[in-house]
Amino acid sequence: MKIHNYSAGPCILPKSVMEKAAESVVNYQNTGLSIVEMSHRSKEFVAVMEKAVALVRELLHVPLDYEVLFLQGGASMQFYMSALNLLPLNGSAAYINTGTWSSKAIKEAKLLGRIDEVASSKDKNFSYIPKDYAVSQEVSYLHYTTNNTIFGTQFKELPKTNARLVCDMSSDIMSKAIDVTKYDLIYAGAQKNIGPAGATLVIVKKDVLGHTGRVIPSMLDYQIHIEKESMFNTPPCFSIYTAMLTMEWLKELGGVTEIEQRNKAKAELLYQEIDTNPLFRGTAAIDDRSVMNPTFVLEDASLNDSFLHASIDAGISGIKGHRSVGGFRASMYNALELESVQVLVDVMKEFERTRG
Ligand SMILES: *Cc1c(COP(=O)(O)O)cnc(C)c1O
């Protein structure tokens, strides 16, 4: 039976990419070596790294005054590292709190300076994106999370501010077109649209670095990673190689503008069912709901288990909701096909027919 993988992350990657990645683990391009047992200084792997960086630049139209890095430690390490590199000693920054990940980013940044939580949607269990807030002219930057993977909300517009923007894009990067020039720093764990876990993408504007007056440990210093072209220490070679394959797949398919249309079509199909099927209800404010991670509940929670089993019987994997929202979450990253969404919608329709 075909499995429809709705996992929130690590998540579905294209089948053709998995096949090429598997091949490379056994014998990388007829070198007789595996991609996981070859030197990161070899000409083969240096070419992989260069290609991966070039693909990020091409797909997201990254301007030349920005650097592209592949680091380790996940988005979670970026919560601290971003502040360490951008927040001056005695400086302050503004943060918008839209859920678990923003809260964690705030917690880490607070270790380094004054953090103004300028807006929060905590009052309604993070079910919406705050829109009314003021950001002081004094702050070094405004940090926000573009897509809230757990609560199923997503910024549809840039925050209205003149402040420099720092952004956690872990769960919607490469899912749509973005204007990189609007941001000073973008970071994203790879495991939600870019590739397997292990690599973290950072896109940083060069001229914002080096002004904090802090002593920065080497591993946490963007400038050192820039100088060493993401090879200050051994990079996660397999993860970066597979990310490169995934980006090649995305480019062949038509790039971020094409995937944006496909992602919208998937979201419309599922939300249409959530909105019209009387057994289900979406949990996020309609204007703010996520194209990547729709969250929804059954009006009658006693039916949760039987719906979950009906979906599993149809080959659907990974739709149990996060414990902080309950119900269901259907993460629909780039590689999930419209056909898989139709399978879920059909299960929901059938559930209404038999249980409604
Ligand atoms: C998954 C996720 C994270 C955590 O990423 P790690 O790579 O596991 O540290 C952070 N922010 C967002 C928005 C996420 O979706």
Side-chain angles (χ1 to χ4, degrees), residues 73-77 79 101 145 147-149 168-171 187 189-192 200 333:
S76 297
M77 195 170 82
F79 298 157
W101 299 118
T145 313
N147 180 69
N148 299 288
T149 327
D168 177 0
M169 284 194 196
S170 294
S171 54
Y187 62 85
Q191 68 275 18
K192 286 159 192 152
T200 310
Y333 295 108

Side-chain angles (χ1 to χ4, degrees), residues 33-289:
L33 295 172
S34 161
I35 186 80
V36 302
E37 59 174 11
M38 98 184 11
S39 168
H40 59 293
R41 307 278 176 206
S42 64
K43 69 175 188 325
E44 286 84 4
F45 187 75
V46 170
V48 167
M49 181 68 95
E50 284 171 357
K51 183 98 191 274
V53 170
L55 280 163
V56 173
R57 288 194 174 280
E58 184 179 349
L59 287 166
L60 297 178
H61 304 292
V62 179
L64 287 173
D65 54 337
Y66 286 73
E67 292 287 346
V68 173
L69 298 171
F70 285 99
L71 305 179
Q72 298 185 68
S76 297
M77 195 170 82
Q78 292 306 311
F79 298 157
Y80 187 75
M81 189 169 173
S82 56
L84 187 64
N85 282 263
L86 298 187
L87 184 59
L89 276 174
N90 306 315
S92 66
Y95 278 65
I96 301 177
N97 189 359
T98 50
T100 310
W101 299 118
S102 316
S103 303
K104 290 187 174 182
I106 290 167
K107 179 174 177 235
E108 300 303 310
K110 277 185 172 166
L111 298 171
L112 293 163
R114 212 188 80 219
I115 301 303
D116 295 339
E117 192 177 304
V118 291
S120 169
S121 47
K122 196 171 181 185
D123 57 338
K124 291 185 180 163
N125 200 29
F126 298 115
S127 59
Y128 69 102
I129 298 291
K131 296 180 187 74
D132 266 338
Y133 48 87
V135 180
S136 150
Q137 298 289 334
E138 254 89 89
V139 297
S140 296
Y141 60 84
L142 170 68
H143 177 285
Y144 72 108
T145 313
T146 45
N147 180 69
N148 299 288
T149 327
I150 291 176
F151 294 94
T153 62
Q154 185 173 26
F155 279 79
K156 301 296 160 75
E157 280 167 21
L158 289 168
K160 287 183 193 64
T161 173
N162 298 323
R164 295 166 174 276
L165 296 178
V166 172
C167 218
D168 177 0
M169 284 194 196
S170 294
S171 54
D172 65 356
I173 194 147
M174 306 249 174
S175 72
K176 57 176 186 168
I178 55 166
D179 181 355
V180 172
T181 67
K182 302 286 190 221
Y183 302 89
D184 278 13
L185 173 68
I186 293 168
Y187 62 85
Q191 68 275 18
K192 286 159 192 152
N193 256 335
I194 302 175
T200 310
L201 175 64
V202 170
I203 303 172
V204 60
K205 195 173 183 185
K206 260 180 286 189
D207 68 8
V208 302
L209 299 174
H211 309 304
T212 61
R214 295 178 191 278
V215 178
I216 300 179
S218 307
M219 268 301 279
L220 297 177
D221 188 343
Y222 291 130
Q223 286 184 307
I224 286 189
H225 290 289
I226 290 169
E227 201 182 304
K228 301 293 181 187
E229 299 179 327
S230 299
M231 298 234 209
F232 171 66
N233 70 324
T234 316
C237 300
F238 178 73
S239 178
I240 293 169
Y241 174 65
T242 309
M244 187 213 85
L245 293 176
T246 309
M247 289 188 284
E248 273 182 341
W249 166 85
L250 181 55
K251 181 182 163 183
E252 267 166 40
L253 183 149
V256 289
T257 48
E258 172 61 25
I259 205 78
E260 181 170 2
Q261 294 315 312
R262 295 187 187 199
N263 286 333
K264 270 190 189 154
K266 290 185 294 185
E268 271 163 28
L269 178 60
L270 181 57
Y271 280 124
Q272 161 84 13
E273 183 61 23
I274 292 170
D275 291 344
T276 54
N277 187 322
L279 297 190
F280 295 91
R281 174 169 51 82
T283 59
I286 287 183
D287 289 344
D288 303 330
R289 54 198 188 178

